[in-house]
């Protein structure tokens, strides 16, 4: 955001930025709440610092193994649209890379250790993002 305020570079027409940003942010929030709801129904904690008690395969988790990370990415995309900041959009690339190459593999390794057969079966049948 500092770059945006220092040297503003827009990437969509101003008339489109706010509506597109609002819609994307609302979708991100809805996805996040739906994913958290599925965790609660399965009686497994959402925070990554607490032990997982179940593999969630319902709701969004039938289509994506990581809908919470997907919602975080959509939130950043939505805010980038909303404030019309190319800089914020560009920072989405390293954020997604960090999730894809560091955070998610670490979580997957943990889940494979905790639920070897269950998680490998789930991993084989559901895509990482979409």
């Amino acid at each position: 955001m500092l770059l945006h305020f220092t040297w503003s570079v827009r990437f969509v027409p101003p008339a489109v930025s706010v509506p597109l940003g609002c819609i994307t942010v609302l979708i991100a929030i809805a996805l996040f709440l739906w994913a958290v709801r599925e965790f609660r129904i399965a009686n497994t904690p959402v925070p990554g610092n607490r032990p997982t008690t179940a593999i969630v395969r319902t709701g969004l988790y039938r289509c994506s193994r990581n809908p919470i990370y997907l919602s975080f990415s959509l939130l950043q995309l939505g805010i980038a649209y909303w404030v019309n900041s190319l800089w914020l959009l560009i920072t989405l690339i390293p954020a997604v890379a960090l999730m894809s190459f560091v955070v998610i593999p670490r979580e997957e390794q943990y889940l494979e250790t905790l639920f070897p057969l269950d998680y490998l079966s789930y991993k084989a049948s559901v895509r990482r993002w979409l």
Side-chain angles (χ1 to χ4, degrees):
M1 289 304 292
L2 184 61
L3 270 171
H4 174 71
F5 290 120
T6 306
W7 182 30
S8 181
V9 179
R10 304 192 184 290
F11 68 101
V12 293
V16 175
S17 68
V18 172
L20 191 56
C22 287
I23 290 167
T24 308
V25 165
L26 289 174
I27 290 169
I29 292 169
L31 287 175
F32 177 78
L33 293 175
W34 188 6
V36 168
R37 180 178 173 267
E38 294 300 324
F39 267 59
R40 291 208 171 115
I41 289 170
N43 201 27
T44 193
V46 176
N49 62 346
R50 296 188 46 215
T52 302
T53 59
I55 300 294
V56 179
R57 296 174 176 249
T58 57
L60 288 171
Y61 291 91
R62 287 178 291 152
C63 306
S64 171
R65 295 193 315 262
N66 298 286
I68 291 176
Y69 294 133
L70 179 61
S71 71
F72 290 165
S73 300
L74 283 174
L75 180 65
Q76 184 171 345
L77 177 65
I79 293 170
Y81 278 131
W82 199 328
V83 299
N84 207 353
S85 172
L86 181 62
W87 302 117
L88 192 54
L89 180 65
I90 289 170
T91 63
L92 181 57
I93 296 166
V96 169
L98 181 67
M99 285 184 277
S100 293
F101 299 114
V102 178
V103 177
I104 293 171
R106 188 174 350 145
E107 288 182 0
E108 287 181 337
Q109 186 176 32
Y110 167 75
L111 292 170
E112 285 175 20
T113 302
L114 197 59
F115 308 100
L117 296 176
D118 244 8
Y119 189 71
L120 288 174
S121 165
Y122 175 62
K123 187 176 172 181
S125 64
V126 177
R127 299 178 115 190
R128 178 179 275 179
W129 290 97
L130 284 179

